[in-house]
């Protein structure tokens, strides 16, 4: 027998530990925390500290540095269960896990020993990592925040202008303006990053910057390890998000931040395999989708309408079947991708597919589940509206699904004649 879909006893143990934690510590409080209007006042450190004491931020740290030495399958199981109770908490762990993977693959032995150990032995149990990468960019004359402030006076694009449309030449593209300037044995980094998960809460930043002001997009980027409290690092606007409010997202501002050259990832991008956290993000949305399905099924068993409980109405049956199929297939794709990664088989298209599919499934399933609840699905004292808001982030962050398809998945598909 070569195919076995069952979890090992160890995997089942960590999955049920995470589920029990999610059920007891997160689920009873998530809705109330989500309602706090000030985004700076939400981040529930006590929940995160307890989770970290159980090892949830250490699954991917090798045992020789004090971590749990587990793989991506186990990490996905943890993130999925936490997200079942709250997508924002799941996302905090997904982003952290993604950085652990990058450190493991691209870090030197000294970098790994220093930072893996710092995370595994953090006495406060508050060690999270951030990836300050995204910026608003400078292409065009209006920034997104200008637009939000009502300045949208570019005017329509007229038919004859389509013919004259030209893309920005590569040499002029500057979507990343954060720059690292060489200064002896150091880099001096300046620029502003936006939307950064755990910014202001994390202890280590894996920061991207353009090396030298002249280098163009796609070339000459570096990735730097920067302690979150380093001189020259500060934090700006905290985002007031539609969902996933139990994670924090904020601006990270670098002002001549001095980074020793030894804190750069010199083999970033040339590392044998940059797995990128796609399966861990898929786990967030599999958790949200499964919860929505479970809530809809439970409600359909108690709600009487049209002479029967609504689970006996065919339209509701089809909705529930559709949800169940999507939740199950999405999870199988995630586990396949995570398993492939753990077998060290090299980067594979399953990762991209798992992120894209799980996030689309979560939006679809939470929407259908909301429909099963009828009017109550739209009410804030019922679970569905939060699940829908939390799910809606999936196709947008970590790279939009469109970007991931055109930039990452299609090159893989085009290199193959068939799908497996
Ligand atoms: C809650 C949240 C958390 C985040 N956390 C982090 C983080 O921790 N670290 C970090 O670095 N970033 C983070 N991000 C940023 C996130 O990765 C970006 O928002 C995302 O990649 C989209 O970029 P953008 O917002 O600039 O959208 P844009 O790039 O402006 O995209 C706008 C639209 O254009 C489409 N589009 C863009 N380019 C193309 C193309 N080439 N072809 C076709 N369509 C295209 C997009 O799909 C989208 O529909 C976070 C964002 C959010 C909302």
């Amino acid at each position: 027998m070569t195919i076995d879909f069952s979890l090992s006893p160890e995997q089942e143990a960590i999955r049920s530990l995470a589920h029990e934690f999610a059920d007891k510590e997160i689920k009873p409080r998530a809705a109330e925390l989500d309602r706090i209007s000030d985004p700076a006042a939400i981040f529930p450190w006590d929940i995160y500290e307890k989770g970290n004491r159980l090892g949830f931020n250490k699954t991917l740290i090798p045992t020789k540095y004090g971590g749990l030495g587990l793989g991506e399958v186990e990490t996905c199981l943890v993130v999925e269960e936490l997200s079942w109770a709250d997508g924002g908490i799941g996302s905090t762990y997904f982003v952290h896990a993604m950085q652990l993977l990058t450190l493991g693959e691209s870090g030197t032995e000294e970098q790994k020993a220093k930072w893996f150990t710092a995370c595994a032995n953090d006495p406060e149990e508050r060690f999270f990592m951030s990836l300050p990468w995204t910026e608003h960019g400078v292409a065009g004359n209006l920034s997104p925040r200008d637009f939000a402030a009502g300045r949208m006076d570019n005017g329509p694009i007229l038919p004859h202008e389509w013919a004259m449309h030209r893309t920005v030449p590569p040499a002029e593209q500057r979507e990343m303006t954060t720059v690292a300037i060489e200064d002896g044995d150091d880099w001096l980094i300046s620029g502003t990053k936006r939307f950064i998960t755990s910014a202001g809460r994390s202890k280590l930043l894996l920061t991207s910057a353009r090396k030298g002001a002249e280098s163009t997009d796609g070339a000459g980027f570096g990735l730097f390890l920067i302690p979150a409290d380093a001189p020259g690092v500060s934090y700006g606007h905290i985002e007031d998000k539609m969902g996933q409010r139990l994670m924090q997202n904020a601006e990270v501002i670098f002002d001549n931040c001095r980074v020793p050259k030894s804190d750069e990832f010199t083999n970033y991008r040339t590392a044998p395999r940059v797995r990128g956290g796609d399966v861990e993000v898929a786990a967030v949305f599999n958790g949200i989708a499964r919860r929505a399905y479970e809530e809809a099924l439970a409600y359909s068993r108690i709600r009487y309408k049209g002479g029967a409980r609504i689970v006996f109405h065919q339209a509701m049956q089809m909705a529930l079947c559709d949800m169940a199929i999507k939740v199950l297939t999405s999870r199988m794709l995630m586990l396949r991708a995570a398993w492939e990664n753990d077998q060290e088989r090299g980067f594979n298209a399953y990762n991209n597919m798992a992120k894209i599919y799980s996030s689309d499934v979560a939006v679809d399933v939470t929407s259908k589940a909301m429909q099963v609840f009828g009017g109550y699905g739209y009410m804030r004292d019922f679970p569905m509206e939060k699940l829908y808001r939390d799910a809606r982030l999936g196709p947008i962050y970590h790279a939009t699904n469109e970007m991931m398809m055109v930039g990452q998945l299609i090159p893989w598909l085009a290199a193959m004649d068939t799908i497996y």
Side-chain angles (χ1 to χ4, degrees):
M1 190 177 82
T2 52
I3 291 183
D4 181 355
F5 290 104
S6 54
L7 299 181
S8 70
E10 294 76 22
Q11 289 167 336
E12 185 47 42
I14 190 151
R15 193 205 64 78
S16 61
L17 177 74
H19 183 78
E20 198 180 320
F21 177 81
D23 195 33
K24 291 208 172 94
E25 304 287 344
I26 306 177
K27 192 171 168 231
R29 294 176 54 202
E32 196 186 332
L33 288 162
D34 170 76
R35 299 272 194 102
I36 296 173
S37 55
D38 177 2
I42 303 173
F43 201 77
W45 265 128
D46 62 320
I47 293 177
Y48 284 116
E49 286 166 19
K50 277 187 202 164
N52 292 348
R53 267 197 290 281
L54 292 173
F56 297 155
N57 67 338
K58 306 171 188 72
T59 55
L60 290 165
I61 299 179
T63 48
K64 70 172 174 170
Y65 304 113
L68 300 188
L70 299 171
E72 292 197 60
V73 168
E74 293 80 11
T75 304
C76 285
L77 294 171
V78 169
V79 172
E80 183 188 340
E81 293 308 324
L82 301 180
S83 305
W84 172 88
D86 184 78
I89 290 185
S91 281
T92 301
Y93 281 98
F94 130 63
V95 171
H96 175 73
M98 172 167 65
Q99 306 325 307
L100 291 178
L101 288 171
T102 306
L103 182 57
E105 287 172 354
S106 295
T108 61
E109 186 46 45
E110 293 72 37
Q111 289 166 342
K112 287 189 230 184
K114 180 172 176 186
W115 292 113
F116 278 153
T117 309
C119 180
N121 297 322
D122 180 28
E124 297 179 314
E125 294 290 10
R126 288 187 170 196
F127 202 103
F128 285 116
M129 291 157 78
S130 291
L131 173 74
W133 188 290
T134 299
E135 301 180 16
H136 278 178
V138 290
N141 52 7
L142 284 177
S143 77
R145 294 273 188 229
D146 287 332
F147 181 87
R151 291 186 285 279
M152 50 183 85
D153 56 358
N154 264 4
I157 297 173
L158 300 173
H160 71 274
E161 291 177 310
W162 284 97
M164 297 186 301
H165 167 77
R166 89 188 157 89
T167 52
V168 183
E172 291 170 23
Q173 289 180 19
R174 290 286 184 281
E175 289 197 10
M176 185 183 290
T177 57
T178 297
V179 70
I181 305 291
E182 220 168 345
D183 186 39
D185 290 336
D186 301 330
W187 292 102
L188 283 177
I189 299 188
S190 294
T192 299
K193 304 285 185 177
R194 327 253 168 175
F195 299 161
I196 306 309
T197 299
S198 302
R201 306 291 185 172
S202 55
K203 295 200 173 187
L204 183 63
L205 313 171
L206 270 64
T207 302
S208 61
R210 177 188 294 287
K211 283 160 73 175
E214 296 310 311
S215 64
T216 55
D217 277 357
F221 287 173
L223 195 63
F224 305 86
L225 285 155
I226 304 180
D229 58 357
V233 179
S234 60
Y235 300 92
H237 177 72
I238 297 178
E239 301 295 343
D240 191 8
K241 304 192 300 293
M242 166 183 173
Q244 301 219 3
R245 294 177 63 83
L246 278 62
M247 75 165 152
Q248 179 163 301
N249 296 82
E251 280 177 339
V252 185
I253 301 154
F254 299 97
D255 181 11
N256 272 318
C257 176
R258 188 170 287 280
V259 180
K261 283 189 176 158
S262 56
D263 288 346
E264 186 189 351
F265 281 149
T266 47
N267 73 340
Y268 181 62
R269 284 179 184 265
T270 55
R273 189 162 51 99
V274 178
R275 291 177 289 197
D278 294 353
V279 283
E280 286 75 16
V281 69
V284 172
F285 296 94
N286 288 332
I288 294 172
R290 192 183 95 223
R291 171 79 181 282
Y293 166 75
E294 290 171 6
E295 296 282 358
L297 177 67
Y299 188 73
S300 75
R301 290 175 181 149
I302 64 104
R303 174 71 172 155
Y304 275 86
K305 259 302 167 81
R309 285 179 285 174
I310 59 174
V311 70
F312 293 111
H313 293 309
Q314 205 173 46
M316 294 295 99
Q317 293 166 358
M318 289 169 71
L320 288 163
C321 290
D322 187 65
M323 284 184 244
I325 292 167
K326 286 176 174 152
V327 168
L328 188 67
T329 51
S330 179
R331 185 168 190 263
M332 286 173 70
L333 185 54
M334 169 192 79
L335 288 174
R336 172 71 190 263
W339 179 83
E340 293 274 343
N341 293 344
D342 287 340
Q343 304 311 303
E344 305 279 339
R345 292 190 180 197
F347 194 72
N348 60 73
Y350 297 110
N351 286 281
N352 295 154
M353 288 181 180
K355 189 274 170 176
I356 294 164
Y357 188 60
S358 69
S359 53
D360 283 344
V361 159
V363 173
D364 186 33
V365 166
T366 52
S367 175
K368 285 200 168 77
M370 185 181 273
Q371 201 70 16
V372 169
F373 273 74
Y376 294 102
Y378 205 64
M379 300 305 157
R380 297 197 70 186
D381 54 340
F382 278 72
M384 219 43 69
E385 63 87 32
K386 175 177 182 296
L387 287 166
Y388 183 75
R389 285 187 285 112
D390 289 351
R392 191 60 188 83
L393 176 60
I396 295 173
Y397 77 160
H398 185 64
T400 64
N401 284 357
E402 294 89 339
M403 289 169 174
M404 196 168 265
M405 285 191 217
V406 302
Q408 296 177 26
L409 183 52
I410 195 66
W412 279 102
L413 298 180
M416 306 188 305
D417 290 326
T418 183
I419 197 63
Y420 56 81

